[in-house]
Amino acid sequence: MAQESLNPFITPDQNGNLGKHGGKIQHPALVTALAEIEEGFRKIIHDEEFIAEMKRLQATFVGRPSPIYHARTLSQSGAQIFLKREDLNHTGAHKINHCIGEVLLAKKLGKKKVIAETGAGQHGVALATAAALLGLACEIHMGVVDIAKEHPNVSRMKILGAKLVPVSEGAGTLKEAVDSAFASYMEQLDESMFAIGSVVGPAPYPEMVAYFQSIVGHEAKAQFESQYGGLPDEVIACVGGGSNAIGLFNAFIDEPSVDLVGVEPAGEGLDKAGRHAATLSLGKFGNIQGFNCYYLQEEDGTPAEVHSIASGLDYPGVGPQHCYLKDTGRGRYEIATDKECLDAFLRLSREEGIIPALESSHAVAYALRRAKELGPEKRLLVNLSGRGDKDIDFVLTKITL
Ligand SMILES: *Cc1c(COP(=O)(O)O)cnc(C)c1O
């Protein structure tokens, strides 16, 4: 595959803007640091040695390419459902794709350490893994409430050698962890690089993370064409910050016959403020954590409380690429509730023998609903962004078997 083909088709302008979304950091202390990262990023995408190393690790460490599986039992009620198996990657989700890219870039820039926030711990584990692999130190900031909730991931990060910084300010969750991680980063700009966990934040992060994730879509397109013939009618992915979705969408953006469908968490229902995280469905435009996008907000513009049964989806903002795809009409954004998510989680487990992450189960839930509306000749390709091992104990507190 020619590496140029990995470039995302939706590229921001020089100021990091896609329409009115995105943008560069305004915080004076960070302008130079992010400019250095951006310059490094522009170089590595044309650096054959870097790309060869990334490909080697994708193949031999992550286990790429991940297969596309035709879920025949789930396809019996209408359209055919196919799954891009990112759950089979080492560490169990798509996040390892951009973490390896970010840590390789940090190394190229001569940094000794990567710093990040984590909510449920998924990004923390993937980054700690990539840092262990490539010999960099890793510092992860995590709210105390999340630390108490996500024990296995906390243990994984410690075993992998990461330094965990507990954050007890405010609600002790993701937002405070981001602030804490940035404050720490500002004290060690020379030796460290901040590594964001999705296509969010100021430039160059959304573009850079999308670039590292676009392997998913380019693989999927080539695999689908050669194994099943032609293109799918819809490509479908859950949307938290939006990285697994944009990773899949990129390769299909200039294929007008393919619908791009993002699925947002409707939690307990869109009519219940604070109990969903349907950012694109109900958010308003503004600036959150250094970039412009639609986000769920209070009257005064502060980020609203959000909820999803899948902790990887409960973020009040969303990547600028998705805001842009929504504005231009190229992307379609649908929803799935907590209940639909749990139903899909169980159906995929029991009818296909695959336990999906609760995040990914949102995309599966939409596909199951959509399949019933379409004939058996239609084909839906779902990004199965991660595996559900992390969710099994929690799910059993929600349902009785
Ligand atoms: C983190 C996570 C997500 C949500 O993040 P995106 O940036 O929206 O992809 C989805 N699925 C899994 C398995 C995750 O770990």
Side-chain angles (χ1 to χ4, degrees):
M1 188 188 309
Q3 191 63 26
E4 299 78 76
S5 68
L6 280 182
N7 281 323
F9 287 101
I10 20 177
T11 309
D13 69 15
Q14 283 194 338
N15 296 315
N17 293 311
L18 273 166
K20 61 183 178 181
H21 306 286
K24 287 198 172 172
I25 194 84
Q26 302 299 328
H27 198 302
L30 287 170
V31 171
T32 314
L34 294 204
E36 182 195 9
I37 296 172
E38 176 157 6
E39 196 185 321
F41 169 61
R42 303 266 168 246
K43 280 198 188 125
I44 52 125
I45 58 181
H46 304 292
D47 179 340
E48 278 175 32
E49 215 176 290
F50 184 97
I51 288 162
E53 179 66 352
M54 197 164 68
K55 282 189 174 172
R56 181 181 74 83
L57 295 173
Q58 284 165 347
T60 62
F61 185 76
V62 180
R64 307 205 69 89
S66 64
I68 291 184
Y69 169 71
H70 183 193
R72 294 188 183 184
T73 308
L74 290 185
S75 302
Q76 282 168 4
S77 55
Q80 306 304 306
I81 297 175
F82 297 83
L83 306 173
K84 175 65 172 162
R85 300 287 311 273
E86 290 299 290
D87 60 312
L88 294 177
N89 293 340
H90 177 48
T91 67
H94 70 288
K95 286 194 175 75
I96 192 71
N97 299 329
H98 66 249
C99 285
I100 286 183
E102 287 183 307
V103 178
L104 275 174
L105 173 59
K107 220 174 152 170
K108 190 93 185 167
L109 294 173
K111 307 296 182 186
K112 302 277 178 283
K113 187 196 265 189
V114 283
I115 300 178
E117 79 297 343
T118 196
Q122 295 298 108
H123 177 53
V125 169
L127 193 66
T129 301
L133 164 73
L134 294 161
L136 262 67
C138 180
E139 178 184 310
I140 303 291
H141 295 245
M142 187 171 186
V144 287
V145 171
D146 290 331
I147 289 178
K149 259 184 14 202
E150 307 288 346
H151 231 271
N153 277 343
V154 172
S155 305
R156 282 185 192 105
M157 285 184 268
K158 286 185 180 162
I159 289 170
L160 289 161
K163 179 185 163 201
L164 194 76
V165 181
V167 181
S168 53
E169 280 84 15
T173 59
L174 180 62
K175 193 190 158 293
E176 292 79 22
V178 174
D179 295 338
S180 168
F182 261 108
S184 175
Y185 176 48
M186 281 193 255
E187 282 167 19
Q188 36 189 337
L189 291 174
D190 284 345
E191 69 263 38
S192 68
M193 185 181 119
F194 200 92
I196 283 182
S198 188
V199 285
V200 296
Y205 288 104
E207 184 187 0
M208 184 165 83
V209 172
Y211 170 80
F212 291 133
Q213 284 297 345
S214 61
I215 181 82
V216 176
H218 289 288
E219 256 179 36
K221 190 177 179 193
Q223 288 169 316
F224 202 91
E225 278 172 337
S226 73
Q227 290 166 24
Y228 305 107
L231 294 171
D233 297 284
E234 296 185 13
V235 293
I236 300 160
C238 65
V239 178
S243 67
N244 89 87
I246 210 72
L248 179 64
F249 292 178
N250 260 319
F252 298 95
I253 283 175
D254 67 350
E255 298 287 356
S257 71
V258 182
D259 279 2
L260 314 176
V261 185
V263 185
E264 297 199 301
E268 293 165 11
L270 293 193
D271 52 338
K272 296 209 174 62
R275 301 306 296 162
H276 64 78
T279 310
L280 289 157
S281 306
L282 292 180
K284 296 203 184 86
F285 181 74
N287 190 283
I288 181 175
Q289 294 185 315
F291 72 109
N292 296 318
C293 66
Y294 295 120
Y295 71 95
L296 292 166
Q297 47 183 275
E298 306 292 352
E299 295 280 316
D300 66 356
T302 51
E305 200 180 302
V306 288
H307 157 86
S308 165
I309 194 168
S311 37
L313 301 182
D314 71 6
Y315 181 64
V318 65
Q321 294 103 331
H322 291 290
C323 301
Y324 183 72
L325 288 174
K326 180 186 157 95
D327 286 354
T328 57
R330 181 65 187 95
R332 178 152 62 80
Y333 293 88
E334 304 277 353
I335 54 166
T337 62
D338 286 352
K339 189 181 171 309
E340 288 174 304
C341 162
L342 279 175
D343 290 347
F345 175 95
L346 262 195
R347 279 196 66 190
L348 190 58
S349 299
R350 298 192 156 188
E351 295 177 36
E352 299 285 354
I354 298 170
I355 302 178
L358 284 173
E359 290 81 6
S360 326
S361 301
H362 285 75
V364 176
Y366 164 80
L368 290 170
R369 199 167 73 214
R370 182 71 171 144
K372 281 201 254 173
E373 301 167 1
L374 301 170
E377 74 291 353
K378 294 288 184 190
R379 300 182 297 177
L380 310 176
L381 174 61
V382 177
N383 197 5
L384 202 68
S385 56
R387 69 177 82 125
D389 304 36
K390 66 183 179 58
D391 299 314
I392 50 178
D393 292 335
F394 175 74
V395 165
L396 289 180
T397 67
K398 296 281 161 191
I399 50 173
T400 5
L401 298 177

